[in-house]
Amino acid sequence: MTSNVPAIEPDYLHAQTNRKGIGAWIFSTDHKRIGILYMVSMLVFFMTAVVLGVLMRLEMLTPGKTIMQPQTYNTFFTLHGIMMIFLFIIPGLPAVFGNFLLPLMIGAKDVFFPRLNLLSWWLFITGGLLALVSLFLPGGPADTGWTFYVPYSIRTTTNVIPALFAAFILGFSSILTGLNFITTIHRMRAPGMTWFKMPLFTWALYSTAWIQILATPVIGITLLLVVVERLFGVGIFDPNLGGDPVLYQHLFWIYSHPAVYIMILPGLGVVSEILPVFARRTIFGYKVIAYSSLAIAFIGSLVWAHHMFTVGMSNTGMFIFSLLTFLVSIPSAIKVFNWIATLYKGSIKIEVPFLFVLSFIFQFSIGGLTGLMLGVLAVNIHVQDTYFVVGHFHYVMFGGTGFGLMAAMHFWFPKMFGKMFKKTPAIIGWLLMTIGFNTLYFPMFILGYLGMPRRYYDYLPQYQSYHIVSTVGSWILFIGILVIFINLLISLKKGMKASANPWGGKTLEWTVASPPPVENFHEIPVVEKGPYDYSEYEIKPELIK
Amino acid sequence: MTTAATTHTHRDDVGSRMGMWLFLFTELILFGGLFIIYAVYRFKFPEQFSLAARELDTLIGTVNTIILLTSSLTVALSITAIQQGKKHLSMMLIGMTIIFALAFLVNKYFEWSHKISIGIYPQSPELLNKPPGEILYFGLYYVMTGLHALHVIIGMVVLLFSMVFIASGKINQQSYVKLEAGGLYWHLVDIIWIFLFPLFYLIS
Amino acid sequence: MSQHEEQHTQHSIGYGRYILIWLGLLAFTGITVTLAGIDLGRWVIITSLVIASIKSILVLNVFMHLKFEDKMFKIFVLVAVATLVIFISLTFFDYAFY
């Protein structure tokens, strides 16, 4: 170890390792390379699921058959759900950006268990491939929807078992990532980085990791039980054997509701990270945002049965879960208010990541407020299992997390690859995505309110005009996504070289070179200031006079 | 700079144990899902559950409880032994733990095969004739003790590796966090059984 | 490094203490089996769960060294157990109120 820092040293993308070619990546324990691995694999699954979604929308263009058979449609929405949820949104932000950024943000050289981290990726790939293989096995792809509700999932002859195993393995991967992150945050923060000097994305990852650890095993065992029931006919959920299918739903949602917070919390963290940089202003209410992440994780684990208001729960149960659902909106709203307050009197610089963040806030607010409507018992009975739910879900998950991911991709692209992207095509892509997204999903609220049920292959002619609008929206959105990705891919090759800190960020990842060196930091930094110290931009009161 | 780098790359046993504890929580919640199912079904069918529990042999259950508690003791002692540098004592104690685990599984085997021989197994005509509460009880019995037995087997493999590592010197008086992690896992298997035992054997 | 090891030897527990705890665990097993033999009606499940919890606390604290760990570890365990308890009790808001 010498104290002479070499003038030019290989970054993590080009560093020589003892393995060559692709082996240097898929066997690497470097958190940055693992992050990129996740990104590539996740985007492949994402694009596949997007294509499935666009085809489903095309099918809905006219009543009756447009392009596919009903059974194909059923497998399409099942696959679209499984891939988007388990292979894209859940691992999306935490596994890609969490892996890449967490050690950089807290001033560490890697995560605490680097080899376990690689294992998580391998499990992720195994699960993903298993899900894909299940498509082509005899029996046909699963047609249960991503929820695998019993008793249908026990009786259908399609390939439910490989799909269940795939979800189980993916859950395991998610657990190991969470475990790794919690240990890393507890044990590896740089000297001086107290809990309240951590970047807010790290706080979001921390809260997410706890849900991953404490909720995922419930779905693990539940899915395994369905496998056991199918294989051995053990009586657990099967009503023929005295079992209670509603109990399956309870267990499923004990995980799957908190899971939507696994999906959205890191997105909220990304917004808290990007806003202060482009508002050139210290984030408003740092501690409250940090605590609200924990609060969302906690309260979010208590509201699962609001997915089940029409299954015949007890009235007490419905009342309690409706009440708890209202509570979870408080910490979410706190975040939105704090973001808006951060913008107030900031010196805003319009850049692509910032535009995505603005779309995020707009769409997340609509998604959140319609979620409150769904939490109201009377309204819920009316719109349960209609397109209203589909609209709400996509506004939060795609309008929120999806756009958050796009914001993160553009914000940290220079850091990850050392290249700048072209601004104009990115803005065009953002505009297309925002217009397309709202055209696609907003009519669903109206459709649902009018009574169009979700997951139906066919519909009455009176709904068609809304379906047409929605399908046209899906084309615009699709083009927008293509523009965004093609632009990023071209920039990867031809982009201008990025400086270490192109946006003027204040968190630690911007203090190292772009792309970062293998070891991240030559010298572990000593942290003295909070993460968003933009006091130099503040207008001093004495100057105004 | 040198100091900063070395303090950072130094071994952090507390962190390793923290990771292990977090993993144990996931195991706890994994069984927790089954405990939720058990609680609901027992609440729905209290009489049928206690009737079905009469088919279980409390003696075998008690013997297995004692075996597991003792194996927990031996694995705990093995850590003290390695801390004192007594390599062979430590290996012997882990060996005893593995033997206890085997004994537990042998008992379990006889218990299950007895159940199967009197016609109580999933989808058996005997079982399907029983009321729903009893079918569910035995469904849970097979799944929960089965999953537990699977964990006993995994625990044995982990402990076997610990033994090899002690022999090769990879686990030694200075560095034994791997053994601690294996021990923690084994104790969790024990704790799960501490709850399974009364819930299945002592409610008749 | 050396400081680290010293910290460890402090955690070391004597053989005698383990054996004592083991005897306690066996005693509690005896008690719970005996109590189950007496017809306590619906109290059986409560007494046996209480005893199982006491046994688990003994295993956690001594065998698993929780007593000697960082305070953070104890908070973690509480969070994990509380989560499970919350899951079970909230589920019963459905089942217990028919």
Side-chain angles (χ1 to χ4, degrees):
Chain A
M1 229 353 115
T2 74
S3 57
N4 290 329
V5 179
I8 301 164
E9 66 170 326
D11 56 69
Y12 81 100
L13 291 170
H14 301 99
Q16 291 298 312
T17 48
N18 42 9
R19 284 176 205 274
K20 293 270 167 282
I22 196 171
W25 284 84
I26 60 174
F27 298 112
S28 168
T29 55
D30 182 345
H31 67 98
K32 299 182 286 301
R33 289 199 167 191
I34 293 176
I36 303 294
L37 282 179
Y38 269 114
M39 184 187 250
V40 173
S41 34
M42 177 202 83
L43 288 179
V44 170
F45 294 125
F46 172 67
M47 284 316 288
T48 318
V50 163
V51 170
L52 288 175
V54 170
L55 290 176
M56 277 157 64
R57 267 323 317 164
L58 191 57
E59 169 56 44
M60 299 314 278
L61 191 61
T62 58
K65 187 188 168 202
T66 314
I67 53 161
M68 61 179 87
Q69 296 298 327
Q71 181 67 15
T72 321
Y73 184 76
N74 288 355
T75 57
F76 269 32
F77 73 65
T78 303
L79 278 170
H80 173 79
I82 293 176
M83 293 178 94
M84 281 293 193
I85 302 246
F86 293 111
L87 292 164
F88 169 61
I89 318 184
I90 289 181
L93 280 165
V96 177
F97 291 95
N99 263 317
F100 190 90
L101 291 168
L102 176 62
L104 285 167
M105 280 183 159
I106 62 171
K109 299 206 165 187
D110 207 325
V111 291
F112 195 90
F113 301 105
R115 275 184 298 175
L116 196 67
N117 203 13
L118 181 62
L119 177 67
S120 305
W121 181 76
W122 274 101
L123 287 172
F124 172 73
I125 283 297
T126 313
L129 291 182
L130 191 56
L132 288 181
V133 165
S134 80
L135 305 184
F136 305 106
L137 291 176
D143 58 349
T144 55
W146 75 281
T147 47
F148 299 110
Y149 272 6
V150 292
Y152 184 67
S153 58
I154 302 175
R155 310 229 197 291
T156 174
T157 52
T158 52
N159 291 324
V160 176
I161 291 181
L164 288 168
F165 263 119
F168 179 80
I169 294 171
L170 292 168
F172 204 44
S173 154
S174 167
I175 286 175
L176 294 181
T177 303
L179 180 163
N180 217 338
F181 284 2
I182 294 181
T183 317
T184 308
I185 293 173
H186 270 278
R187 303 300 302 175
M188 296 180 79
R189 277 172 289 132
M193 177 160 288
T194 56
W195 283 92
F196 290 115
K197 287 201 177 103
M198 280 198 323
L200 286 164
F201 183 59
T202 329
W203 269 101
L205 286 176
Y206 185 73
S207 315
T208 309
W210 272 108
I211 311 179
Q212 285 174 305
I213 284 195
L214 292 180
T216 316
V218 180
I219 191 89
I221 190 68
T222 311
L223 299 182
L224 278 190
L225 285 173
V226 177
V227 173
V228 169
E229 285 209 69
R230 281 183 73 96
L231 288 179
F232 307 110
V234 182
I236 303 282
F237 298 124
D238 191 341
N240 280 356
L241 301 170
D244 181 0
V246 173
L247 185 57
Y248 171 87
Q249 298 192 15
H250 272 295
L251 290 162
F252 180 84
W253 290 111
I254 284 179
Y255 165 73
S256 297
H257 192 76
V260 305
Y261 296 101
I262 297 181
M263 304 172 206
I264 193 69
L265 267 172
L268 303 172
V270 166
V271 174
S272 309
E273 213 56 54
I274 293 177
L275 265 189
V277 174
F278 295 106
R280 293 287 188 267
R281 198 170 172 279
T282 313
I283 193 139
F284 185 86
Y286 169 91
K287 274 197 184 180
V288 188
I289 296 184
Y291 279 131
S292 67
S293 290
L294 288 179
I296 289 177
F298 175 70
I299 307 173
S301 305
L302 314 179
V303 302
W304 71 83
H306 67 212
H307 293 266
M308 305 160 53
F309 284 154
T310 52
V311 300
M313 250 199 301
S314 76
N315 284 340
T316 319
M318 305 230 292
F319 176 75
I320 295 280
F321 279 107
S322 174
L323 183 74
L324 289 168
T325 304
F326 288 122
L327 289 184
V328 80
S329 66
I330 297 172
S332 316
I334 285 176
K335 280 184 193 281
V336 175
F337 295 145
N338 278 302
W339 294 331
I340 308 285
T342 305
L343 293 176
Y344 178 64
K345 281 186 179 171
S347 44
I348 292 168
K349 193 164 186 308
I350 305 275
E351 289 284 353
V352 180
F354 184 76
L355 291 173
F356 274 109
V357 163
L358 288 186
S359 302
F360 179 108
I361 297 176
F362 173 70
Q363 284 149 193
F364 175 71
S365 302
I366 294 179
L369 289 170
T370 48
L372 271 183
M373 289 168 73
L374 284 167
V376 181
L377 285 171
V379 180
N380 185 288
I381 305 294
H382 178 63
V383 293
Q384 169 91 24
D385 274 327
T386 66
Y387 268 53
F388 193 89
V389 179
V390 182
H392 155 72
F393 185 71
H394 284 86
Y395 258 88
V396 182
M397 287 298 118
F398 194 172
T401 311
F403 275 69
L405 188 98
M406 293 297 167
M409 295 248 283
H410 287 90
F411 187 59
W412 283 295
F413 184 84
K415 180 55 61 187
M416 287 179 145
F417 303 106
K419 298 278 176 70
M420 293 304 287
F421 55 84
K422 273 215 160 39
K423 196 170 163 180
T424 318
I427 290 179
I428 295 170
W430 160 78
L431 198 65
L432 286 173
M433 274 187 75
T434 306
I435 294 171
F437 173 86
N438 286 288
T439 320
L440 166 55
Y441 293 109
F442 201 84
M444 291 194 180
F445 289 124
I446 306 165
L447 270 176
Y449 194 76
L450 295 175
M452 170 78 210
R454 71 195 288 201
R455 289 180 173 176
Y456 273 34
Y457 171 75
D458 200 358
Y459 56 84
L460 298 172
Q462 72 230 40
Y463 296 125
Q464 198 185 358
S465 45
Y466 294 104
H467 275 298
I468 292 174
V469 175
S470 182
T471 303
V472 170
S474 76
W475 299 336
I476 304 174
L477 179 61
F478 186 61
I479 295 169
I481 294 174
L482 286 183
V483 170
I484 289 286
F485 281 134
I486 291 170
N487 180 42
L488 287 181
L489 280 176
I490 292 174
S491 307
L492 209 55
K493 280 263 172 222
K494 299 190 173 167
M496 298 217 304
K497 204 173 161 5
S499 66
N501 190 1
W503 312 119
K506 297 284 181 180
T507 39
L508 285 178
E509 79 268 26
W510 302 111
T511 62
V512 299
S514 303
V518 178
E519 289 279 289
N520 295 354
F521 301 95
H522 291 292
E523 208 169 327
I524 294 302
V526 176
V527 182
E528 277 149 7
K529 288 186 190 165
Y532 312 105
D533 185 13
Y534 286 98
S535 45
E536 79 248 34
Y537 288 91
E538 266 167 35
I539 301 165
K540 307 283 182 298
E542 61 269 20
L543 289 179
I544 303 174
K545 271 183 207 160
Chain B
M1 138 131 218
T2 322
T3 49
T6 42
T7 46
H8 205 74
T9 48
H10 86 302
R11 195 180 95 214
D12 180 2
D13 287 353
V14 180
S16 307
R17 285 205 301 275
M18 181 180 278
M20 192 60 207
W21 274 94
L22 292 171
F23 180 70
L24 295 188
F25 299 155
T26 69
E27 291 280 3
L28 174 76
I29 305 283
L30 188 82
F31 278 95
L34 289 166
F35 283 123
I36 296 173
I37 300 174
Y38 177 95
V40 168
Y41 287 158
R42 190 176 182 281
F43 178 81
K44 279 181 140 180
F45 308 103
E47 287 88 14
Q48 293 171 20
F49 260 52
S50 87
L51 213 65
R54 286 193 195 150
E55 299 284 348
L56 259 55
D57 189 343
T58 314
L59 184 66
I60 293 192
T62 314
V63 169
N64 260 351
T65 308
I66 293 169
I67 290 177
L68 265 198
L69 288 175
T70 315
S71 74
S72 245
L73 169 73
T74 49
V75 88
L77 290 176
S78 80
I79 294 174
T80 306
I82 198 85
Q83 282 171 335
Q84 297 176 354
K86 293 171 185 156
K87 194 172 155 178
H88 291 286
L89 179 63
S90 179
M91 284 171 68
M92 202 188 77
L93 285 163
I94 297 173
M96 281 170 70
T97 312
I98 294 172
I99 291 170
F100 282 129
L102 266 178
F104 178 90
L105 289 176
V106 168
N107 259 339
K108 193 97 264 164
Y109 169 77
F110 282 120
E111 199 186 359
W112 274 34
S113 34
H114 174 67
K115 293 272 139 10
I116 292 167
S117 72
I118 58 170
I120 299 176
Y121 55 90
Q123 294 295 327
S124 72
E126 180 85 16
L127 189 61
L128 290 181
N129 275 333
K130 289 182 187 285
E134 294 199 39
I135 302 179
L136 294 172
Y137 174 90
F138 284 109
L140 282 171
Y141 164 79
Y142 275 112
V143 169
M144 290 175 92
T145 58
L147 187 67
H148 180 261
L150 190 69
H151 279 77
V152 171
I153 295 169
I154 297 170
M156 280 167 66
V157 174
V158 170
L159 290 174
L160 211 63
F161 270 103
S162 310
M163 228 162 113
V164 174
F165 285 153
I166 295 177
S168 72
K170 210 171 174 180
I171 295 177
N172 54 49
Q173 190 173 5
Q174 274 75 44
S175 164
Y176 47 83
V177 71
K178 283 198 176 69
L179 179 59
E180 280 184 305
L184 283 173
Y185 187 83
W186 191 254
H187 295 306
L188 181 89
V189 173
D190 190 22
I191 287 182
I192 301 287
W193 182 258
I194 286 176
F195 281 93
L196 287 186
F197 170 60
L199 288 180
F200 281 102
Y201 292 83
L202 301 182
I203 56 160
S204 50
Chain C
M1 214 48 168
S2 62
Q3 202 183 0
H4 214 73
E5 282 146 26
E6 278 167 24
Q7 213 183 342
H8 260 291
T9 35
Q10 284 174 3
H11 292 186
S12 177
I13 301 175
Y15 300 112
R17 185 152 183 196
Y18 281 136
I19 291 173
L20 217 63
I21 294 294
W22 172 66
L23 288 173
L25 288 170
L26 291 188
F28 275 116
T29 310
I31 294 172
T32 194
V33 173
T34 320
L35 280 180
I38 311 164
D39 191 13
L40 289 173
R42 57 188 309 214
W43 289 95
V44 167
I45 192 82
I46 294 166
T47 52
S48 38
L49 282 181
V50 168
I51 291 175
S53 307
I54 297 173
K55 284 164 79 179
S56 311
I57 291 169
L58 287 178
V59 173
L60 276 169
N61 269 325
V62 184
F63 281 0
M64 298 171 88
H65 299 193
L66 186 60
K67 206 173 153 188
F68 312 98
E69 290 283 7
D70 227 45
K71 193 173 145 204
M72 192 56 73
F73 282 61
K74 292 166 198 168
I75 297 172
F76 279 12
V77 174
L78 280 182
V79 168
V81 174
T83 307
L84 184 55
V85 171
I86 287 172
F87 284 167
I88 295 180
S89 31
L90 279 181
T91 309
F92 269 81
F93 273 115
D94 181 6
Y95 286 95
F97 289 96
Y98 264 109

